[in-house]
Amino acid sequence: QVQLVESGGGLVQAGGSLRLSCAASGIHFSITAMGWYRQASGKERELVASITAGGSTDYGDSVKGRFTISRDNAKNTVYLQMNSLKPDDTAVYYCNLEGRNGLTKYKSWGQGTQVTVSS
Protein backbone atom coordinates (compact mmCIF):
# COMPACT_ATOMS: atom_id res chain seq x y z
CA GLN A 1 0.00 0.00 0.00
CA VAL A 2 1.35 3.40 -0.98
CA GLN A 3 2.07 5.72 1.91
CA LEU A 4 3.12 9.36 1.73
CA VAL A 5 4.64 10.83 4.87
CA GLU A 6 4.88 14.61 4.98
CA SER A 7 6.96 16.70 7.33
CA GLY A 8 8.24 20.23 7.78
CA GLY A 9 5.09 22.25 8.29
CA GLY A 10 4.68 24.72 11.12
CA LEU A 11 4.31 28.33 12.12
CA VAL A 12 6.54 31.00 10.61
CA GLN A 13 6.52 34.77 10.38
CA ALA A 14 5.92 36.54 7.09
CA GLY A 15 9.12 36.69 5.09
CA GLY A 16 10.42 33.48 6.60
CA SER A 17 11.12 30.09 5.08
CA LEU A 18 10.03 26.50 5.51
CA ARG A 19 10.99 23.26 3.81
CA LEU A 20 8.45 20.51 3.33
CA SER A 21 9.39 16.89 2.68
CA CYS A 22 7.29 14.00 1.45
CA ALA A 23 8.61 10.45 1.44
CA ALA A 24 6.78 7.75 -0.49
CA SER A 25 6.85 4.07 0.41
CA GLY A 26 5.09 0.95 -0.78
CA ILE A 27 5.72 1.92 -4.41
CA HIS A 28 5.15 -0.91 -6.88
CA PHE A 29 4.90 1.13 -10.05
CA SER A 30 6.76 3.82 -11.94
CA ILE A 31 6.30 7.28 -10.45
CA THR A 32 5.50 9.79 -13.17
CA ALA A 33 5.15 12.89 -11.03
CA MET A 34 5.13 14.15 -7.47
CA GLY A 35 3.94 17.44 -6.21
CA TRP A 36 2.36 19.66 -3.62
CA TYR A 37 -1.13 21.07 -3.43
CA ARG A 38 -2.62 23.29 -0.77
CA GLN A 39 -6.04 24.07 0.58
CA ALA A 40 -6.77 27.16 2.61
CA SER A 41 -9.82 27.39 4.81
CA GLY A 42 -12.92 27.92 2.70
CA LYS A 43 -11.04 27.56 -0.59
CA GLU A 44 -10.52 24.82 -3.14
CA ARG A 45 -7.39 22.74 -3.29
CA GLU A 46 -4.85 24.26 -5.70
CA LEU A 47 -1.58 23.25 -7.27
CA VAL A 48 1.51 24.63 -5.58
CA ALA A 49 4.21 22.82 -7.52
CA SER A 50 4.85 19.56 -9.32
CA ILE A 51 7.85 17.75 -10.75
CA THR A 52 7.96 14.90 -13.23
CA ALA A 53 10.28 11.92 -13.18
CA GLY A 54 12.32 13.68 -15.81
CA GLY A 55 12.64 16.82 -13.71
CA SER A 56 10.16 19.12 -15.44
CA THR A 57 8.51 21.48 -12.99
CA ASP A 58 5.29 23.43 -12.83
CA TYR A 59 4.30 26.08 -10.30
CA GLY A 60 1.14 27.87 -9.29
CA ASP A 61 1.24 31.52 -10.30
CA SER A 62 1.12 32.76 -6.71
CA VAL A 63 4.31 30.94 -5.69
CA LYS A 64 6.51 31.39 -8.75
CA GLY A 65 9.86 32.85 -7.81
CA ARG A 66 9.40 32.06 -4.12
CA PHE A 67 8.97 28.28 -3.93
CA THR A 68 11.22 25.60 -5.36
CA ILE A 69 10.32 21.94 -5.80
CA SER A 70 12.96 19.24 -5.99
CA ARG A 71 13.03 15.48 -5.92
CA ASP A 72 15.30 12.62 -4.91
CA ASN A 73 14.28 9.77 -7.18
CA ALA A 74 16.39 7.22 -5.32
CA LYS A 75 14.54 8.00 -2.08
CA ASN A 76 11.11 8.57 -3.67
CA THR A 77 11.08 11.88 -1.82
CA VAL A 78 9.93 15.30 -2.93
CA TYR A 79 10.82 18.59 -1.27
CA LEU A 80 9.28 22.04 -1.33
CA GLN A 81 11.48 24.95 -0.33
CA MET A 82 9.27 27.89 0.54
CA ASN A 83 10.86 31.32 0.83
CA SER A 84 9.44 34.81 1.34
CA LEU A 85 6.34 33.33 2.87
CA LYS A 86 3.20 35.42 3.05
CA PRO A 87 0.08 35.13 5.23
CA ASP A 88 -1.80 34.09 2.06
CA ASP A 89 0.39 30.97 1.95
CA THR A 90 -1.35 29.71 5.09
CA ALA A 91 -2.99 26.40 4.24
CA VAL A 92 -2.83 22.66 4.64
CA TYR A 93 -0.24 21.37 2.19
CA TYR A 94 -0.80 17.95 0.64
CA CYS A 95 1.74 15.78 -1.07
CA ASN A 96 0.60 14.12 -4.28
CA LEU A 97 2.04 11.21 -6.22
CA GLU A 98 1.06 9.90 -9.66
CA GLY A 99 2.35 6.80 -11.34
CA ARG A 100 1.60 3.99 -13.70
CA ASN A 101 2.22 0.31 -14.30
CA GLY A 102 1.39 -0.49 -17.87
CA LEU A 103 -2.10 0.83 -18.50
CA THR A 104 -2.92 1.14 -14.80
CA LYS A 105 -2.61 4.60 -13.32
CA TYR A 106 -2.12 5.38 -9.64
CA LYS A 107 -2.69 8.52 -7.61
CA SER A 108 -2.07 8.99 -3.90
CA TRP A 109 -2.35 11.80 -1.39
CA GLY A 110 -0.60 12.47 1.88
CA GLN A 111 -2.44 13.32 5.07
CA GLY A 112 -1.51 17.00 4.85
CA THR A 113 0.72 19.28 6.90
CA GLN A 114 -0.33 22.66 8.23
CA VAL A 115 1.63 25.75 7.24
CA THR A 116 0.73 28.95 9.07
CA VAL A 117 2.31 32.29 8.19
CA SER A 118 1.77 35.09 10.67
CA SER A 119 1.84 38.74 9.70
Side-chain angles (χ1 to χ4, degrees):
Q1 184 174 352
V2 177
Q3 186 175 17
L4 301 179
V5 178
E6 300 145 331
S7 60
L11 173 64
V12 64
Q13 289 188 332
S17 299
L18 283 174
R19 188 188 193 214
L20 305 183
S21 299
C22 173
S25 61
I27 303 299
H28 56 87
F29 48 81
S30 297
I31 299 175
T32 55
M34 296 184 73
W36 292 92
Y37 288 71
R38 68 186 182 187
Q39 187 166 18
S41 180
K43 296 186 178 180
E44 294 186 354
R45 191 172 296 191
E46 64 176 1
L47 171 71
V48 177
S50 66
I51 184 167
T52 68
S56 297
T57 58
D58 189 23
Y59 293 93
D61 287 341
S62 62
V63 307
K64 287 179 180 177
R66 299 187 298 122
F67 293 9
T68 302
I69 191 169
S70 61
R71 177 173 166 179
D72 185 333
N73 289 339
K75 296 181 178 180
N76 288 333
T77 300
V78 65
Y79 307 95
L80 184 69
Q81 178 65 42
M82 304 185 293
N83 298 329
S84 302
L85 283 160
K86 306 174 181 179
D88 285 348
D89 295 318
T90 296
V92 178
Y93 284 68
Y94 296 92
C95 180
N96 168 265
L97 177 152
E98 297 182 0
R100 67 188 307 157
N101 184 357
L103 297 179
T104 303
K105 294 183 179 181
Y106 298 87
K107 191 168 188 176
S108 295
W109 292 93
Q111 79 284 358
T113 185
Q114 177 70 45
V115 171
T116 303
V117 184
S118 63
S119 57

